[in-house]
Amino acid sequence: MVTVPKIIKIDHIGIAVKHLDQAVKLYQSVFRLPVGSTEINAAFAVKLCFIPVGEVQVEFLEPCDQTSPFAAFIEEKGEAIHHIAYQVDDLDAFLIELREQGVKLQSETPLPGGNGTRIVFIDPAETNHVLIELVEQPAS
Amino acid sequence: MVTVPKIIKIDHIGIAVKHLDQAVKLYQSVFRLPVGSTEINAAFAVKLCFIPVGEVQVEFLEPCDQTSPFAAFIEEKGEAIHHIAYQVDDLDAFLIELREQGVKLQSETPLPGGNGTRIVFIDPAETNHVLIELVEQPAS
């Protein structure tokens, strides 16, 4: 039987900002949303935190220094939404589909994401310059 | 008793694109998501459609002509995510809060949105240049 992979939901929306603390202020004080603790992702030289909103998480990303790809992103586009991550049930099955349909990816094999997830970014040239991440949660 | 207004969920994410039909192709063919029918919003000179993903809708917006504010947006920023809309339980209570905290809005009173909703846009200078819409669904 052929597995038909599915998009389950939007996992998170990543927003590149210059100052994390200032960015989350409105969400905390007016929207009264619970702001998660700040983490560092050394691979991307980025400081980040998540805010859950319903079934989605809003992720704020602040470059630690000029080596971060998020610094280059902000330099080029200003503070803006950086990516939308869709949670999928079967990342490998999606990769087969995407390759079969000739959709270009940023990496040919899944990368390790946070919390044991596996992720792949689709080449934004394929998706109206909106960077799309596919995320598979670890088997529970 | 003072009402404490709440964000319920992300209602939709609006993406400005040059060609709606081309933009939804990947969502239809690879992601196998149900693409809603195309509508015209004459006030904004924009052609739009929604794709439900879990509890969120992804909205694609294509300017009908150069008079559309979405044409100016694409001209300046290219195809990109245009806004995030948060569904709130009590828009009027939020407006009081926002004013009390000195947060600037794009319109001082709620505007009519689609399907009987009431909407307000927060001045993007307040929100790291990410345009935020607050939406209240009509009382059922």
Side-chain angles (χ1 to χ4, degrees), chain B:
Chain B
M1 209 182 79
V2 179
T3 307
V4 178
K6 272 200 312 289
I7 300 274
I8 298 168
K9 61 166 188 166
I10 293 177
D11 186 86
H12 65 272
I13 302 169
I15 304 177
V17 298
K18 288 182 188 165
H19 307 288
L20 204 61
D21 295 349
Q22 185 262 319
V24 301
K25 231 182 244 175
L26 181 85
Y27 293 80
Q28 218 157 14
S29 65
V30 182
F31 295 167
R32 291 196 188 78
L33 292 167
V35 177
S37 56
T38 300
E39 306 161 38
I40 301 273
N41 179 314
F44 290 98
V46 79
K47 214 162 89 175
L48 60 94
C49 75
F50 287 97
I51 301 178
V53 186
E55 68 181 21
V56 179
Q57 307 235 54
V58 180
E59 178 185 28
F60 288 93
L61 304 125
E62 175 193 323
C64 296
D65 55 44
Q66 287 303 313
T67 66
S68 171
F70 291 92
F73 176 86
I74 291 173
E75 183 77 28
E76 188 195 344
K77 308 207 177 190
E79 295 181 300
I81 299 170
H82 179 267
H83 65 275
I84 302 182
Y86 291 96
Q87 190 187 321
V88 302
D89 59 351
D90 186 339
L91 187 59
D92 294 317
F94 257 117
L95 290 184
I96 292 170
E97 280 258 327
L98 288 161
R99 278 190 207 114
E100 273 178 8
Q101 303 213 21
V103 177
K104 288 199 198 89
L105 306 172
Q106 284 201 332
S107 63
E108 282 311 308
T109 51
L111 305 171
N115 301 317
T117 56
R118 298 163 71 230
I119 64 174
V120 154
F121 287 96
I122 297 176
D123 186 329
E126 302 279 358
T127 52
N128 304 85
H129 311 285
V130 171
L131 183 57
I132 290 182
E133 176 184 340
L134 300 179
V135 192
E136 185 192 86
Q137 294 294 326
S140 53

Side-chain angles (χ1 to χ4, degrees), chain A residues 100-117:
Chain A
E100 273 178 6
Q101 302 211 22
V103 177
K104 286 199 199 90
L105 306 172
Q106 284 200 332
S107 63
E108 281 312 307
T109 51
L111 304 172
N115 302 317
T117 57

Side-chain angles (χ1 to χ4, degrees), chain A residues 27-99:
Chain A
Y27 293 79
Q28 217 157 15
S29 65
V30 183
F31 295 169
R32 291 196 188 78
L33 292 167
V35 177
S37 56
T38 300
E39 306 160 38
I40 301 273
N41 179 314
F44 291 99
V46 79
K47 213 161 89 175
L48 60 94
C49 75
F50 287 97
I51 301 177
V53 186
E55 68 180 20
V56 179
Q57 307 234 55
V58 179
E59 178 186 28
F60 288 94
L61 304 125
E62 175 194 322
C64 297
D65 56 44
Q66 287 303 311
T67 66
S68 170
F70 290 92
F73 176 86
I74 291 172
E75 183 77 27
E76 190 194 343
K77 307 206 177 187
E79 295 181 300
I81 297 169
H82 180 266
H83 65 275
I84 302 181
Y86 291 95
Q87 190 187 321
V88 303
D89 60 350
D90 187 339
L91 187 58
D92 294 317
F94 257 117
L95 291 183
I96 293 170
E97 281 257 329
L98 287 161
R99 280 189 206 113

